[in-house]
Amino acid sequence: MKKRCGWCEGDALYEAYHDQEWGVPVYDDATIFEFLILETFQAGLSWITILRKRENFRKAFDNFDCKKIAQYGEAKYEELLKNEGIIRNKLKIKATITNAQNFMKIQEEFGSFSKYIWGFVDGKPIQNRVIDYKKAPATTPISDKLSKDLKKRGFKFVGSTVIYAHMQATGMVNDHEVDCFRYDEVKN
């Protein structure tokens, strides 16, 4: 039996996400944007809630296409508010549209969003040594700095806690517990 991080144990969807995605370094803009949307909607909720609705989000938000989302008007916004398959939070839906527009501005400025965001960790994952996931930080000075910069650029729902969760999910930091089988796998 594989030893996993304690936060995912006991739920097949959570375990699959942990085993295949969480903490794996992501450098393509499309996947980074997907996680940014999902983390935005996760604010104040549990991640498993978002994972269970992930396919619904994918359909509702045009496969997480930032160019399409940036163009959403009032009709699409109203449609999303009625979609029972996603989190129907007015501010988070509006934030997703705004964030898509700002995401594209960063792509234009830096050549890719990936280049921008990975610049905060010098282009390589930070290797933490988490013994117990309950003692892992919720924020760090880097997530504080990144959050502040994103807010300055007009992003919404990107507080330091949301951004640190995004950094963990996309492998900017390796917060797998050191005795988890994935710790060394994502490190290499």
Side-chain angles (χ1 to χ4, degrees), residues 51-67:
L51 279 182
R52 289 186 178 128
K53 294 178 179 280
R54 189 178 193 178
E55 289 308 311
N56 297 334
F57 276 104
R58 184 170 278 120
K59 289 176 194 154
F61 285 95
D62 290 295
N63 207 31
F64 304 113
D65 184 326
C66 68
K67 290 182 179 111

Side-chain angles (χ1 to χ4, degrees), residues 41 77 80-81 88-97:
F41 277 93
Y77 168 74
L80 290 166
L81 280 178
R88 297 177 293 168
N89 179 297
K90 293 176 183 182
L91 295 176
K92 290 178 180 181
I93 292 170
K94 284 187 187 259
T96 299
I97 299 166

Side-chain angles (χ1 to χ4, degrees), residues 72-127:
Y72 285 178
E74 192 62 30
K76 181 64 176 185
Y77 168 74
E78 291 297 329
E79 176 189 316
L80 290 166
L81 280 178
K82 294 175 185 157
N83 187 330
E84 294 181 11
I86 65 169
I87 306 298
R88 297 177 293 168
N89 179 297
K90 293 176 183 182
L91 295 176
K92 290 178 180 181
I93 292 170
K94 284 187 187 259
T96 299
I97 299 166
T98 300
N99 290 353
Q101 295 162 352
N102 292 319
F103 189 90
M104 290 181 356
K105 288 177 187 172
I106 287 177
Q107 285 178 315
E108 199 172 295
E109 182 180 345
F110 289 85
S112 73
F113 192 87
S114 178
K115 190 182 292 184
Y116 160 78
I117 200 165
W118 279 92
F120 285 84
V121 293
D122 297 323
K124 59 186 185 305
I126 296 168
Q127 300 299 324

Side-chain angles (χ1 to χ4, degrees), residues 2-9 18 22-23 127-136 168 173-187:
K2 295 178 179 177
K3 168 68 174 98
R4 292 181 172 92
C5 297
W7 59 263
C8 73
E9 292 177 331
H18 169 273
W22 193 74
Q127 300 299 324
N128 289 330
R129 297 202 45 83
V130 175
I131 305 296
D132 177 355
Y133 77 94
K134 293 175 186 167
K135 294 180 180 163
Q168 290 173 311
V173 294
N174 181 359
D175 272 355
H176 281 280
E177 294 173 347
V178 291
D179 61 351
C180 171
F181 82 98
R182 291 293 283 158
Y183 179 78
D184 286 328
E185 289 182 3
V186 300
K187 188 169 131 183

